[in-house]
């Protein structure tokens, strides 16, 4: 059944010899059909013990997640409430294993099934004629689950670290898990080489994150020194999801158990071969399932008499707890929709869920274009979880609120009071001890995406991991003091002189032969991949030669090499992209005097880019520092523009100074058949080597192709800015989304970042 969508058709035809539940010796029977969180209901047949419904229902499902059970429950409809008349349960897993059941198969005939009672005090009788069968729906595409639930169970065979006394071996392990923008950490288990955590966490999986890796890392907690890396491994999230979907037997909690092999780090420390593993449990749920859990959980809480029905007062009380602003008239329509009286009748859970979902859809559609809610009725505004009473939920987005309450509500998660701490941004932050985190907070600023801080947070587009940009502590603190210190002024004469002095001094240092001794420590600090470097390490005459090193052919392949309508990254860098220049200045570039004319030093040409889009490609010191052409076309003569040496660190870009318009830069233009006129601005920065801060070695007045080399930057952090004319191109959605939240995306040369507006 893999690879397709299916529809399960269910016919409830008739009943025979049902139990009388009313004083007149008859019943008013109807059938509820429950498949997972979905319920279908037949019509009520008045005063009849042999009713005929002739009802048919289609239940669509993902072929990789077939329903496991169908439950048919027969009820007697009363003026107030209902009476239990028995039920029938199908174990569909047994049917799937034997064979598929086609609805139109000649052998698939309606069958009579006896009603049974699962309630001790209720006597039932009779049988129901039912037919079920599969109808393949080839028109629907499978979609990824939107939320992942993972439990860190235990680890086995961890390598024994020598303890502080040096006389024995010990381990105080904890686990850090990273996926996309989500990072979690377990508690510490003291003195254990086979620890058990049994801690759970959850995160969303967006469509563009399906190729990302999920990383599991075990650390050894040290009281007096830094925590030690023990073992780690990354796995494609699709691989773990596939294991779940293909599982033919799931546990009672609906979780699949998996043992993950981990790679021991610093193996030379240990005297024997260790093969540690991490045991996890996982499951994936759709957004629809989670939302259903959310509403069902609240309904159960406010069902005061536990009869499966909520009256008007119970619903009103429940919605008040959500901060709802629905009017009495709107609540009344919940009842009239099902031909019920708001003053006398109640809504079944499924009916209430249907109404709330519909109202939520209405509320969402009424939002204004800029994302602000219109002055109208709202279904939900939660400040505190109604189940676990967790505060500050109003700070989360709707999906996070629903997920939180769904976890609290579910039978397996709701009973667990030990959750993994989920308020970390990066793995490196999560593994630090509390003292280090406090010092970092005071000295460098907070850990939060998009804030003005010396802690630079970026998302690696290849793995999806959100990581902290690595820099020496003195550099980080110096930047913060320089741009946020008391009395500091970035555009003061003193500041400019300091930056110029540092830049020239550092540039001269890294041009000297003695600077080769700095190459190995630099590689180790930034964990650089030296296998992709073209020349051997001992061939470089100074540090700068290594810094703007060449890579081996094929190290940076071009995405869609035969399609020039695909825009590729010009550098290994941390990029931001904005559909308009106005959007860039609103979210990222805060310099009061920033203008296109100043950036390219030409007012007339600047007018050609009015209303156009802008991309910022920032190179940190650890990045490969040659830059390449992002589009093909005719290359112009470059224009060299003198300037200062300010850092291009995000904290400076979001200061009052126009860093891009003040620094030294070179402007080239590419007349591209696919993208029109494209401006390529290479901007030097603090620590680049004085008057020779970069070199352009491409040939002007020639036709250049994507990923061909344009030039290189010497040591430091530098930037490439690309300008496009209005209506000529579109950035990739995931990069725009990150840029909208002021999160830089880590990309590499040749990686697709956008497309031409003329792309077909």
């Amino acid at each position: 059944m893999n690879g397709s969508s299916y529809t399960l058709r269910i016919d409830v035809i008739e009943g025979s010899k049902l139990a009388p539940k009313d004083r007149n010796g008859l019943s008013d029977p109807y059938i509820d059909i429950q498949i997972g969180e979905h319920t279908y209901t037949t019509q009520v047949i008045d005063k009849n013990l042999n009713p005929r419904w002739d009802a048919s229902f289609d239940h669509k499902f993902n072929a990789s997640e077939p329903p496991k059970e169908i439950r048919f429950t027969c009820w007697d409809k009363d003026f107030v409430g209902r009476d239990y008349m028995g039920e029938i349960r199908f174990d569909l897993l047994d049917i799937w294993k034997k064979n598929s059941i086609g609805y139109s198969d000649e052998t698939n005939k309606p069958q009579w099934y006896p009603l049974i009672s699962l309630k001790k005090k209720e006597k039932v009788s009779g049988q129901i004629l039912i037919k079920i069968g599969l109808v393949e729906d080839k028109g629907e595409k499978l979609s990824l689950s939107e939320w992942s639930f993972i439990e860190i169970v235990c680890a086995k065979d961890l390598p024994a670290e020598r303890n502080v006394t040096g006389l024995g071996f010990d381990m105080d392990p904890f686990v850090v898990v990273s996926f996309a923008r989500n990072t979690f950490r377990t508690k510490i288990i003291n003195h254990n080489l086979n620890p058990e955590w049994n801690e759970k966490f959850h995160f969303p999986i967006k469509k563009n994150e399906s190729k990302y890796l999920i990383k599991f890392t075990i650390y050894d907690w040290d009281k007096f020194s830094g925590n030690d890396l023990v073992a780690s491994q990354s796995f494609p999230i699709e691989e773990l999801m596939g294991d779940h979907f293909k599982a033919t037997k799931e546990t009672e909690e609906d979780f699949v158990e998996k043992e993950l092999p981990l790679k021991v780090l610093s193996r030379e420390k240990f005297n024997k071969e260790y093969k540690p593993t991490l045991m996890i449990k996982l499951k994936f749920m759709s957004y629809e399932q989670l939302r259903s859990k959310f509403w069902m959980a609240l309904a159960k809480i406010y069902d005061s008499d536990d009869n499966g029905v909520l009256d008007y007062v119970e619903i009103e009380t429940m919605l008040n707890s959500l901060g709802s602003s629905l009017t009495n008239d709107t609540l009344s329509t919940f009842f009239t929709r099902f031909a019920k009286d708001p003053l006398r009748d109640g809504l079944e859970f499924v009916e209430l869920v249907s109404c709330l979902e519909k109202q939520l859809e209405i509320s969402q559609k009424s939002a204004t274009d800029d994302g602000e809610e219109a002055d109208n009725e709202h279904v939900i505004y939660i400040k505190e979880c109604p189940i676990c009473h967790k505060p500050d939920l109003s700070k989360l987005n709707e999906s996070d609120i629903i997920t939180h309450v769904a976890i609290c509500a579910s039978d397996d998660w709701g009973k667990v009071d030990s959750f993994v701490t989920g308020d970390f941004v990066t793995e490196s932050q999560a593994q630090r001890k509390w003292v280090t985190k406090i010092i970092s907070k005071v000295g460098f600023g907070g850990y939060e995406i998009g804030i003005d801080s010396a802690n630079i947070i970026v998302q690696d587009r290849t793995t999806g991991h959100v990581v902290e940009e690595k820099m020496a502590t003195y550099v980080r603190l110096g930047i913060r003091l320089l741009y946020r210190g008391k009395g500091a002024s970035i555009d003061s004469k003193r500041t400019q002189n300091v930056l110029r002095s540092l830049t020239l001094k550092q540039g001269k240092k890294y041009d000297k032969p003695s600077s080769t001794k700095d190459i190995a420590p630099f590689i180790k600090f930034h964990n650089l991949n030296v296998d992709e470097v073209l020349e051997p390490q001992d061939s470089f005459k100074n540090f700068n030669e290594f810094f703007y090193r060449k890579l081996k052919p094929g190290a940076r392949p071009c995405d869609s090499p035969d399609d020039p309508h695909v825009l590729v990254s010009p550098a290994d860098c941390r990029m931001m992209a904005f559909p308009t220049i106005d959007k860039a200045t609103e979210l990222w570039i805060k310099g009061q005097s920033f203008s296109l004319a100043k950036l390219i030093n030409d007012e007339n040409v600047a007018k050609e880019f009015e209303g156009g889009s802008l991309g910022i490609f920032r190179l940190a010191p650890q990045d490969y520092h040659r830059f390449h052409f992002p589009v093909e076309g005719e290359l112009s003569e470059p224009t060299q523009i003198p300037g200062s040496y300010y850092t291009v660190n995000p904290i400076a870009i979001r200061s009052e100074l126009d860093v891009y318009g003040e620094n030294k830069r070179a402007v080239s233009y590419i007349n591209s058949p696919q993208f029109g006129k494209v401006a390529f601005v290479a901007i030097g920065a603090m620590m680049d080597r004085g008057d020779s801060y970069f070199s352009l070695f491409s040939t002007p007045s020639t036709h250049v192709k994507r990923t061909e080399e344009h030039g290189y930057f010497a040591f430091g952090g530098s930037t490439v800015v690309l300008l496009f004319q209005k209506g000529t191109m579109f950035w990739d959605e995931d990069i725009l989304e990150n840029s909208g939240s002021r999160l830089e995306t880590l990309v590499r040369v040749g990686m697709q970042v956008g497309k031409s507006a003329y792309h077909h």
Side-chain angles (χ1 to χ4, degrees):
M1 289 171 51
N2 290 337
S4 301
S5 299
Y6 283 80
T7 297
L8 183 64
R9 185 158 294 165
I10 308 155
D11 292 346
V12 180
I13 303 169
E14 60 178 314
S16 174
K17 300 179 181 179
L18 304 184
K21 292 293 182 178
D22 296 336
R23 293 182 179 180
N24 58 10
L26 300 172
S27 294
D28 307 309
Y30 68 96
I31 302 290
D32 273 349
I33 306 165
Q34 188 164 0
I35 307 176
E37 300 290 347
H38 300 273
T39 301
Y40 306 90
T41 304
T42 69
Q43 62 179 331
V44 176
I45 305 299
D46 294 330
K47 301 175 183 179
N48 203 317
L49 300 180
N50 299 285
R52 188 168 186 90
W53 292 285
D54 288 326
S56 183
F57 305 92
D58 284 346
H59 175 73
K60 294 183 178 181
F61 65 94
N62 188 313
S64 299
E65 288 186 299
K68 298 181 292 298
E69 181 185 81
I70 302 181
R71 184 172 67 184
F72 299 80
T73 306
C74 188
W75 300 96
D76 166 47
K77 175 68 175 177
D78 290 334
F79 184 79
V80 178
R82 58 184 181 177
D83 297 317
Y84 179 80
M85 298 180 68
E87 58 188 271
I88 301 162
R89 294 193 177 191
F90 282 105
D91 185 355
L92 285 175
L93 286 179
D94 289 338
I95 296 176
W96 306 142
K97 291 174 185 176
K98 293 174 183 176
N99 50 30
S100 61
I101 46 175
Y103 180 83
S104 302
D105 289 352
E106 292 183 0
T107 57
N108 187 12
K109 305 293 183 183
Q111 295 186 46
W112 287 98
Y113 295 90
L115 288 163
I116 62 172
S117 176
L118 297 182
K119 297 185 178 182
K120 295 181 180 180
K121 298 181 180 180
E122 296 288 346
K123 294 182 179 180
V124 303
S125 65
Q127 55 186 345
I128 307 294
L129 185 63
I130 296 171
K131 177 182 177 180
I132 61 175
L134 289 174
V135 180
E136 186 173 2
D137 183 0
K138 297 181 179 179
E140 287 194 12
K141 301 293 183 182
L142 298 182
S143 60
L144 293 173
S145 298
E146 296 198 23
W147 285 91
S148 170
F149 297 80
I150 293 182
E151 177 178 353
I152 303 297
V153 181
C154 63
K156 299 177 182 178
D157 195 33
L158 295 182
E161 290 269 18
R162 189 173 294 278
N163 63 20
V164 69
T165 65
L167 302 177
F169 294 89
D170 197 10
M171 177 75 70
D172 304 311
F174 63 94
V175 183
V176 174
V177 184
S178 300
F179 176 78
R181 297 193 189 185
N182 309 280
T183 301
F184 307 87
R185 167 182 164 170
T186 67
K187 61 188 175 185
I188 298 165
I189 304 296
N190 293 321
H191 316 304
N192 204 316
L193 298 178
N194 297 282
E196 291 187 15
W197 290 281
N198 298 312
E199 295 189 41
K200 302 178 176 70
F201 58 90
H202 59 90
F203 53 84
I205 303 175
K206 298 178 182 178
K207 186 175 181 180
N208 63 287
E209 296 171 346
S210 62
K211 302 296 184 183
Y212 286 174
L213 303 177
I214 182 169
K215 184 179 181 183
F216 300 86
T217 306
I218 296 182
Y219 287 87
D220 175 30
W221 180 79
D222 287 328
K223 186 174 183 180
F224 301 105
S225 61
N227 300 321
D228 297 318
L229 278 168
V230 177
S232 183
Q233 193 68 279
S234 294
F235 303 88
I237 194 68
E238 279 188 325
E239 178 182 315
L240 296 186
M241 292 175 70
D243 289 339
H244 171 75
F245 291 145
K246 294 174 185 176
T248 56
K249 223 173 189 180
E250 298 178 334
T251 67
E252 184 178 352
E253 290 186 344
D254 218 17
F255 277 74
V256 172
E257 196 171 66
K258 184 170 179 61
E259 190 171 18
L260 304 176
L262 300 179
K263 181 180 179 181
V264 175
L265 305 174
S266 301
R267 188 176 294 278
E268 63 270 16
K269 287 184 179 181
F270 310 112
N271 297 324
K272 73 166 192 171
E273 187 79 4
Y274 290 89
K275 296 182 179 179
T277 59
L278 183 68
M279 184 67 69
I280 66 169
K281 293 180 180 178
L282 70 159
K283 71 175 179 179
F284 297 86
M285 295 181 66
S286 69
Y287 188 74
E288 182 181 5
Q289 289 173 309
L290 284 168
R291 200 152 63 187
S292 181
K293 276 184 174 288
F294 170 73
W295 297 124
M296 287 289 188
L298 293 180
K300 289 176 183 177
I301 289 174
Y302 290 95
D303 181 12
S304 57
D305 48 7
D306 295 322
N307 65 351
V309 175
L310 295 187
D311 61 27
Y312 187 99
V313 174
E314 289 172 330
I315 294 173
E316 186 179 46
T317 305
M318 183 189 86
L319 292 176
N320 284 342
S321 74
L322 305 180
S324 170
S325 60
L326 299 184
T327 65
N328 292 338
D329 289 340
T330 299
L331 289 183
S332 295
T333 64
F334 286 14
F335 294 81
T336 56
R337 178 181 171 188
F338 297 98
K340 293 184 176 182
D341 187 340
L343 300 179
R344 296 187 302 170
D345 298 331
L347 292 181
E348 296 176 14
F349 288 179
V350 143
E351 294 172 336
L352 177 59
V353 170
S354 175
C355 292
L356 290 170
E357 284 291 288
K358 184 66 177 177
Q359 191 62 39
L360 186 61
E361 181 181 343
I362 293 172
S363 297
Q364 290 172 336
K365 286 182 178 179
S366 66
T368 58
D369 291 339
D370 62 359
E372 294 295 324
E373 295 292 334
D375 185 16
N376 58 7
E377 297 178 79
H378 300 283
V379 176
I380 178 173
Y381 180 76
I382 291 183
K383 291 185 177 180
E384 179 178 284
C385 175
I387 300 175
C388 75
H389 305 293
K390 174 181 172 62
D392 300 324
L393 287 189
S394 59
K395 296 180 180 179
L396 305 177
N397 60 42
E398 184 185 20
S399 63
D400 288 337
I401 295 174
I402 294 173
T403 304
H404 173 86
V405 181
I407 291 175
C408 292
S410 62
D411 293 334
D412 47 354
W413 292 88
K415 298 175 184 177
V416 179
D417 58 5
S418 178
F419 289 91
V420 176
T421 305
D423 59 349
F424 300 112
V425 178
T426 68
E427 177 187 339
S428 61
Q429 178 208 3
Q431 67 89 23
R432 293 173 183 153
K433 294 188 288 295
W434 67 272
V435 173
T436 306
K437 285 188 282 187
I438 289 177
I439 293 173
S440 297
K441 184 83 172 181
V442 173
F444 306 145
Y447 277 92
E448 187 176 337
I449 290 171
I451 66 171
D452 290 336
S453 168
N455 306 306
I456 304 174
I457 307 299
V458 301
Q459 181 173 31
D460 188 328
R461 199 185 192 198
T462 302
T463 65
H465 295 156
V466 173
V467 296
E468 177 186 353
E469 188 167 306
K470 195 169 185 180
M471 64 181 77
T473 301
Y474 73 89
V475 175
R476 186 199 308 271
L477 187 56
I479 289 173
R480 181 165 180 81
L481 291 174
L482 183 61
Y483 292 103
R484 290 292 182 270
K486 267 192 175 181
S489 175
I490 188 171
D491 57 353
S492 71
K493 201 70 176 174
R494 178 180 178 275
T495 300
Q496 292 189 41
N497 289 337
V498 168
L499 291 178
R500 181 177 180 82
S501 175
L502 283 172
T503 298
L504 294 175
K505 182 178 179 180
Q506 198 68 35
K508 290 178 180 178
K509 173 186 175 182
Y510 285 144
D511 277 340
K512 294 180 179 180
S514 59
S515 64
T516 55
K517 69 179 185 300
D518 295 313
I519 296 177
F522 184 81
I523 292 172
K524 184 177 181 180
F525 182 76
H526 291 294
N527 192 28
L528 300 183
N529 179 14
V530 294
D531 292 336
E532 64 183 12
V533 180
L534 180 62
E535 303 293 340
Q537 186 175 324
D538 58 8
S539 68
F540 298 108
K541 298 177 181 178
N542 55 52
F543 181 87
N544 255 324
E545 281 194 4
F546 169 77
F547 190 75
Y548 49 74
R549 61 199 173 274
K550 283 191 173 185
L551 301 183
K552 293 177 181 177
R556 295 292 183 270
C558 179
D559 281 355
S560 304
D562 299 323
D563 187 356
H565 293 86
V566 171
L567 171 70
V568 298
S569 173
D572 282 15
C573 60
R574 300 102 210 285
M575 74 166 291
M576 304 286 281
F578 303 95
T580 65
I581 294 164
D582 287 345
K583 200 69 175 176
T585 55
E586 174 188 334
L587 293 172
W588 191 248
I589 305 171
K590 294 300 182 181
Q592 294 294 316
S593 59
F594 175 83
S595 70
L596 287 184
K598 185 177 179 182
L599 175 68
I600 62 178
N601 200 34
D602 192 318
E603 291 187 7
N604 292 327
V605 177
K607 293 177 182 178
E608 300 179 39
F609 292 95
E610 288 182 356
S613 56
L614 176 144
I616 302 169
F617 303 81
R618 179 179 65 86
L619 289 74
Q622 55 265 46
D623 293 323
Y624 160 65
H625 260 63
R626 292 185 176 244
F627 46 89
H628 301 244
F629 292 112
V631 300
E632 72 168 41
E634 294 296 321
L635 179 66
S636 73
E637 287 280 351
T639 300
Q640 301 280 351
I641 305 172
S644 300
Y645 300 89
Y646 297 112
T647 176
V648 290
N649 182 296
I651 198 172
I653 304 306
R654 299 204 291 267
S655 71
E656 298 302 311
L657 180 73
D658 175 15
V659 173
Y660 298 141
E662 294 290 342
N663 278 14
K664 285 195 172 185
R665 55 204 183 277
V667 183
S668 304
Y669 298 97
I670 308 167
N671 289 311
S672 168
Q674 297 80 24
F675 292 88
K677 189 172 186 177
V678 179
F680 190 116
V681 187
I683 304 173
M686 187 173 73
M687 297 303 176
D688 277 326
R689 37 182 297 220
D691 294 330
S692 302
Y693 59 93
F694 56 71
S695 176
L696 302 178
F697 44 72
S698 54
T699 305
S701 303
T702 60
H703 187 87
V704 297
K705 295 183 179 180
R706 292 176 304 152
T707 70
E708 287 183 354
E709 287 187 5
H710 185 23
Y712 66 76
F713 291 109
F715 179 73
S718 307
T719 291
V720 170
V721 172
L722 296 181
L723 301 175
F724 296 86
Q725 294 173 310
K726 184 177 181 180
T728 58
M729 59 83 64
F730 301 101
W731 297 106
D732 285 354
E733 284 297 323
D734 62 314
I735 294 174
L736 284 178
E737 181 183 351
N738 280 355
S739 301
S741 58
R742 303 206 302 184
L743 173 66
E744 292 176 296
T745 305
L746 187 61
V747 297
R748 289 165 44 128
V749 171
M751 182 180 289
Q752 176 181 317
V753 294
K755 288 185 178 181
S756 164
Y758 312 108
H759 183 270
H760 298 290

